[in-house]
Amino acid sequence: MQKLNFPTYQFRFKNSENKVSIFDEIRKKFVILQPEEWVRQHCLKYLIYEKRFPKSLINVEKELIINSLRKRYDIIVYNSDGSINLIVECKSPCIEINQNVFDQIARYNSKLRANYLMITNGINHYYCQMDYENERYQFLKDIPAYIK
């Protein structure tokens, strides 16, 4: 798999029926290793080991219904009170981060109302903080680390 713009992490792999799987420590299972999954697993490690978010506050690939359409978000990080701190949208490294990707996470956030958004294709990362009162967002250099 391609080298990504994240710190180097250790992963568990399994090969079965000529398909490589990677262990997801949040879902506690092996999942087929696709380019987007490679990015998602790096992002999870980044959130856990660099930003210190507890695993118990992280949720991966759950269904979300928006305008009666079934969608799946990549990663959500909750606050300890159950509100949503962060939504992460992961794309394959070959996918350009463009307006369509920002529109996708904005649609998810119209329902979820997170404090922060992160978009990554493993090479480029974009972070923003939401300001609902003024109906704006501000791009950041990084997302803040977890604070108890």
Side-chain angles (χ1 to χ4, degrees):
M1 279 277 148
Q2 180 176 350
K3 171 92 174 95
L4 301 177
N5 188 14
F6 281 105
T8 302
Y9 299 111
Q10 296 294 315
F11 295 98
R12 288 174 48 202
F13 298 98
K14 178 172 80 171
N15 200 336
S16 148
E17 299 174 19
N18 290 329
K19 291 186 179 168
V20 176
S21 295
I22 187 168
F23 189 75
D24 181 315
E25 54 186 283
I26 301 301
R27 292 180 276 184
K28 295 181 173 49
K29 67 179 185 177
F30 282 93
V31 291
I32 301 292
L33 183 56
Q34 302 285 347
E36 182 179 313
E37 192 63 48
W38 184 237
V39 173
R40 184 171 22 253
Q41 293 306 315
H42 274 80
C43 191
L44 285 169
K45 296 271 191 187
Y46 175 76
L47 294 172
I48 295 165
Y49 297 107
E50 311 308 320
K51 294 301 174 178
R52 303 284 185 217
F53 287 103
K55 292 179 192 177
S56 61
L57 295 179
I58 301 174
N59 205 311
V60 176
E61 277 219 307
K62 295 283 192 237
E63 188 173 90
L64 175 68
I65 298 180
I66 300 174
N67 299 328
S68 62
L69 297 173
R70 294 175 185 273
K71 303 289 184 182
R72 290 181 83 74
Y73 60 76
D74 285 309
I75 301 169
I76 284 185
V77 179
Y78 291 93
N79 292 305
S80 55
D81 66 2
S83 63
I84 297 175
N85 185 38
L86 170 69
I87 303 171
V88 182
E89 181 59 31
C90 300
K91 295 295 183 192
S92 165
C94 66
I95 302 292
E96 178 188 355
I97 304 293
N98 59 24
Q99 188 62 49
N100 290 339
V101 179
F102 280 96
D103 292 347
Q104 179 184 3
I105 201 168
R107 279 191 301 276
Y108 295 175
N109 197 43
S110 68
K111 178 145 186 155
L112 299 170
R113 298 188 59 82
N115 298 326
Y116 298 93
L117 305 178
M118 175 181 176
I119 299 172
T120 181
N121 62 5
I123 308 300
N124 299 302
H125 317 298
Y126 298 93
Y127 314 94
C128 59
Q129 181 174 14
M130 302 305 297
D131 177 355
Y132 294 105
E133 193 172 303
N134 297 305
E135 297 181 0
R136 293 191 313 227
Y137 55 87
Q138 177 181 353
F139 279 96
L140 306 171
K141 290 183 190 279
D142 201 351
I143 51 171
Y146 177 73
I147 301 170
K148 290 182 184 180

